[in-house]
Amino acid sequence: MATHALRSGSKRRIRIDDHLPVDHRLNLVYRIGAGLMGLGLIVFGVFGIIDRIGFFDTGGDEVWSLNTNGALSWLSVAVGLLLFAGMVIGGNVASTLNMVFGVLFILSGFLNMALLETDYNFLAFEIQNCMLSFVIGILLMVFGMYGRVGSALPHDNPYWRARHPEGSDGPAGSGAVGPDQVR
């Protein structure tokens, strides 16, 4: 015979990032990174859209000394809006968006560098676009990972505490390992 436990109370929403800590001091860094990069991409894209460049035109139209076309302009606006939305939401969402888009920008730089002199360069990338893609990717990753990863996170950091629940009392706690202690 099976027994069933009756559930009482309100239904709780499941959040994917419940296991990630939220630190309000770091939240500002994540928001600034997402906001600055998003705003820059939106402005770049809007200038390209205003110039009424063909959608897949590879004729060498430039905005801010960067080659662009309609597809790249609209893509820049879309990614910029996503990053700007991450800034508005803040917290782990902004941090994760920064890291994900940072990796995507670096991969885009490599992919478009491989496609530079081919017929498949439909975003009209030139070498300066690839270099800027690398720079934006690295900046986004730095903004997203700031205070989340590293070998020397302080013991009061919420991400350190989440990874080391047995030593969350700090260096003086029972489970913490100091720099001169070996486990």
Side-chain angles (χ1 to χ4, degrees):
M1 211 183 327
T3 60
H4 298 283
L6 295 176
R7 294 181 186 217
S8 62
S10 64
K11 290 186 178 185
R12 192 179 134 199
R13 243 181 170 174
I14 297 175
R15 293 188 54 198
I16 294 174
D17 62 350
D18 271 344
H19 67 285
L20 295 174
V22 177
D23 187 15
H24 298 290
R25 294 175 294 150
L26 298 174
N27 189 18
L28 183 63
V29 175
Y30 307 145
R31 285 178 179 238
I32 288 172
L36 286 176
M37 295 297 134
L39 184 64
L41 287 170
I42 289 170
V43 171
F44 171 76
V46 167
F47 281 149
I49 293 168
I50 289 173
D51 285 345
R52 296 180 187 247
I53 304 167
F55 200 73
F56 291 114
D57 185 23
T58 57
D61 297 307
E62 290 186 354
V63 172
W64 294 343
S65 299
L66 297 169
N67 213 28
T68 189
N69 61 15
L72 182 60
S73 298
W74 282 105
L75 184 62
S76 297
V77 168
V79 171
L81 287 173
L82 284 172
L83 286 170
F84 207 77
M87 180 201 71
V88 171
I89 296 169
N92 292 324
V93 172
S95 174
T96 303
L97 270 177
N98 285 343
M99 288 189 290
V100 167
F101 278 113
V103 170
L104 290 176
F105 267 93
I106 290 173
L107 292 175
S108 169
F110 281 119
L111 176 67
N112 285 300
M113 190 178 289
L115 299 175
L116 280 181
E117 299 296 325
T118 67
D119 293 335
Y120 301 108
N121 186 9
F122 61 91
L123 291 178
F125 262 56
E126 294 292 331
I127 193 70
Q128 62 267 26
N129 296 74
C130 295
M131 293 300 122
L132 183 66
S133 185
F134 292 139
V135 169
I136 290 173
I138 290 170
L139 286 173
L140 282 172
M141 286 177 48
V142 166
F143 277 124
M145 291 182 187
Y146 183 78
R148 281 184 85 163
V149 297
S151 62
L153 291 176
H155 295 284
D156 64 343
N157 183 294
Y159 296 101
W160 187 91
R161 286 184 297 196
R163 290 185 201 116
H164 302 91
E166 73 282 352
S168 62
D169 297 336
S174 61
V177 176
D180 57 341
Q181 298 173 335
V182 178
R183 208 179 253 209

